[in-house]
Amino acid sequence: MQLTRYTDFGLRVMMYLTQAGARETPVTITEITERFAVSRNHIVKVVHFLGQQGWVATTRGKGGGLRLARPPSTYRLGDLVRTLEHQSMLVNCAEPPCALAGMCRLAGVLADSLQVFFDTLNQHTLADLVRAPTGEAIVQLYRSPY
């Protein structure tokens, strides 16, 4: 299974914001796009979604920016990935209609595997992801000029 670029960007933004509390200035979308060398349009969409989920607090206008809405230890990685991926099943037997529907075990096995994947990810929090050396690398990103 390969995660989408959308999920990758969402996780990067969340990880970047874990260190924002030590700063005087808020994190901006421009800063994130320049630090990670990614499209502004992509990050705007991702940040909007993160805000809708209540994961990120956003402030508009001069002096505005982004911050995590809760402590990093409260965000479970599996829950983040599942929501960012908009993934509820790996195969859809109804579309297009499958000739094996009702007699096939594939969908059940894949659903069980996907659940194990998310359960395994949920053993880790956002705080776990930014332990050394990642947290230090994020701080270095903050310090680099853009």
Side-chain angles (χ1 to χ4, degrees), residues 6 9-11 19 29 31 33 38 40 45 63 73-74 83 90 94 103 114 118 123 125 127 142 145:
Y6 186 84
F9 292 163
L11 293 173
Q19 306 300 317
I29 288 175
E31 177 183 339
T33 61
V38 296
R40 180 177 177 82
K45 290 176 189 174
S73 61
T74 66
T83 303
L90 292 176
M103 299 175 285
L114 186 61
F118 290 128
Q123 294 174 15
T125 67
Y142 281 141

Side-chain angles (χ1 to χ4, degrees), residues 17-33:
L17 294 177
T18 62
Q19 306 300 317
R23 296 171 39 139
E24 292 180 24
T25 59
V27 174
T28 65
I29 288 175
T30 299
E31 177 183 339
I32 292 169
T33 61

Side-chain angles (χ1 to χ4, degrees), residues 70-127:
R70 304 187 317 259
S73 61
T74 66
Y75 296 93
R76 293 266 164 216
L77 184 56
D79 296 338
L80 294 175
V81 170
R82 183 191 308 263
T83 303
L84 285 163
E85 282 289 308
H86 308 290
Q87 186 77 40
S88 59
M89 60 183 144
L90 292 176
V91 295
N92 181 353
C93 300
E95 193 61 41
C98 179
L100 300 175
M103 299 175 285
C104 178
R105 294 175 166 254
L106 178 61
V109 169
L110 291 175
D112 290 347
S113 299
L114 186 61
Q115 186 59 50
V116 168
F117 174 71
F118 290 128
D119 290 346
T120 300
L121 290 177
N122 269 338
Q123 294 174 15
H124 307 279
T125 67
L126 188 58

